[in-house]
Amino acid sequence: AQRVTQPEKLLSVFKGAPVELKCNYSYSGSPELFWYVQYSRQRLQLLLRHISRESIKGFTADLNKGETSFHLKKPFAQEEDSAMYYCALLSGAGSYQLTFGKGTKLSVIP
Amino acid sequence: DTEVTQTPKHLVMGMTNKKSLKCEQHMGHRAMYWYKQKAKKPPELMFVYSYEKLSINESVPSRFSPECPNSSLLNLHLHALQPEDSALYLCASSQKEGTSYEQYFGPGTRLTVT
């Protein structure tokens, strides 16, 4: 069975400080991993997907198969980054089953 | 059009009412989803439609009845709901071919059952 673990329910950082939101997964095959973000009163939005290896809003995430991790990082946090972040796993190409972690609420202190 | 739209935004219904939630996308996606999201929790999958056919029903009570009239529309019919069904109901869609299968979410319908 697949599982996504986000160990921190809440993460508070000061503006300008580095941010790392942790995500570990458990899946025997080749997963597709995503980070979704939900700003207050806004829809759930795709932030990053591991296959594209891109940087969005200054965030990056690298898939580490050895450690089964997909941590989200940003070198300098901004106040507008405050939101709920969900790590999610899709069990292979064409799969429907998107498994979400419990989410980490990021609070950036001005 | 690169968005998933949902109507209504808010819905209050009594336990004996019948209502429907609607979802629409024009991205050519052939998979559509209903999720339920309680406050401060991740979305929970309810139903999946693939090519307008029900593919997955995650043991959802029969008081929730999905319908996919065509490739762009997805409905969720509600009847005899319970107060614990109050939640944000999210619709999502994704491609079925190609290299990217990420799901795109609508803004949700906030349902309150009284």
Side-chain angles (χ1 to χ4, degrees):
Chain A
Q2 59 216 48
R3 191 170 64 244
V4 176
T5 303
Q6 292 179 252
E8 301 133 333
K9 255 180 133 173
L10 174 65
L11 183 64
S12 295
V13 300
F14 285 101
K15 179 181 169 182
V19 175
E20 183 178 47
L21 299 171
K22 294 190 188 321
C23 172
N24 287 90
Y25 66 91
S26 171
Y27 181 63
S28 54
S30 291
E32 286 192 47
L33 284 147
F34 305 91
W35 277 99
Y36 281 86
V37 60
Q38 197 167 28
Y39 300 102
S40 180
R41 292 190 174 82
Q42 291 189 30
R43 71 178 69 202
L44 196 62
Q45 302 171 35
L46 178 67
L47 181 63
L48 284 176
R49 46 188 173 149
H50 90 267
I51 57 172
S52 56
R53 302 182 64 81
E54 57 203 340
S55 172
I56 303 288
K57 299 184 179 183
F59 285 98
T60 58
D62 289 317
L63 178 61
N64 185 324
K65 289 187 178 179
E67 294 182 1
T68 59
S69 68
F70 188 54
H71 303 326
L72 184 67
K73 298 177 185 179
K74 184 169 182 176
F76 309 105
Q78 303 297 315
E79 286 179 67
E80 56 265 28
D81 297 329
S82 296
M84 181 68 88
Y85 291 81
Y86 292 102
C87 183
L89 179 155
L90 197 63
S91 50
S95 170
Y96 305 113
Q97 302 286 133
L98 192 61
T99 301
F100 285 91
K102 292 192 174 180
T104 297
K105 184 169 181 182
L106 175 64
S107 179
V108 180
I109 305 162
Chain B
D1 190 346
T2 57
E3 277 198 345
V4 176
T5 58
Q6 290 186 245
T7 55
K9 284 187 179 175
H10 301 275
L11 179 63
V12 179
M13 60 185 289
M15 289 192 283
T16 57
N17 291 159
K18 279 187 185 180
K19 295 284 184 185
S20 297
L21 309 184
K22 294 185 187 307
C23 172
E24 193 165 0
Q25 57 89 14
H26 295 288
M27 294 180 278
H29 291 171
R30 301 308 297 273
M32 295 185 76
Y33 311 77
W34 280 114
Y35 287 85
K36 175 181 177 180
Q37 187 179 24
K38 290 283 218 179
K40 299 184 182 178
K41 299 285 185 188
E44 298 172 23
L45 184 65
M46 299 174 72
F47 301 104
V48 181
Y49 273 82
S50 175
Y51 296 100
E52 297 88 72
K53 291 198 169 96
L54 184 63
S55 277
I56 294 176
N57 175 341
E58 290 285 357
S59 305
V60 179
S62 60
R63 56 187 185 267
F64 295 92
S65 174
E67 178 198 17
C68 190
N70 61 54
S71 59
S72 300
L73 292 173
L74 187 66
N75 298 321
L76 186 63
H77 303 298
L78 314 172
H79 174 55
L81 295 193
Q82 304 296 311
E84 60 266 26
D85 297 321
S86 297
L88 183 68
Y89 287 84
L90 299 171
C91 175
S93 69
S94 69
Q95 292 182 4
K96 277 303 296 164
E97 291 91 23
T99 56
S100 103
Y101 300 93
E102 63 264 25
Q103 295 180 18
Y104 293 86
F105 286 82
T109 294
R110 190 160 300 281
L111 175 68
T112 304
V113 182
T114 60

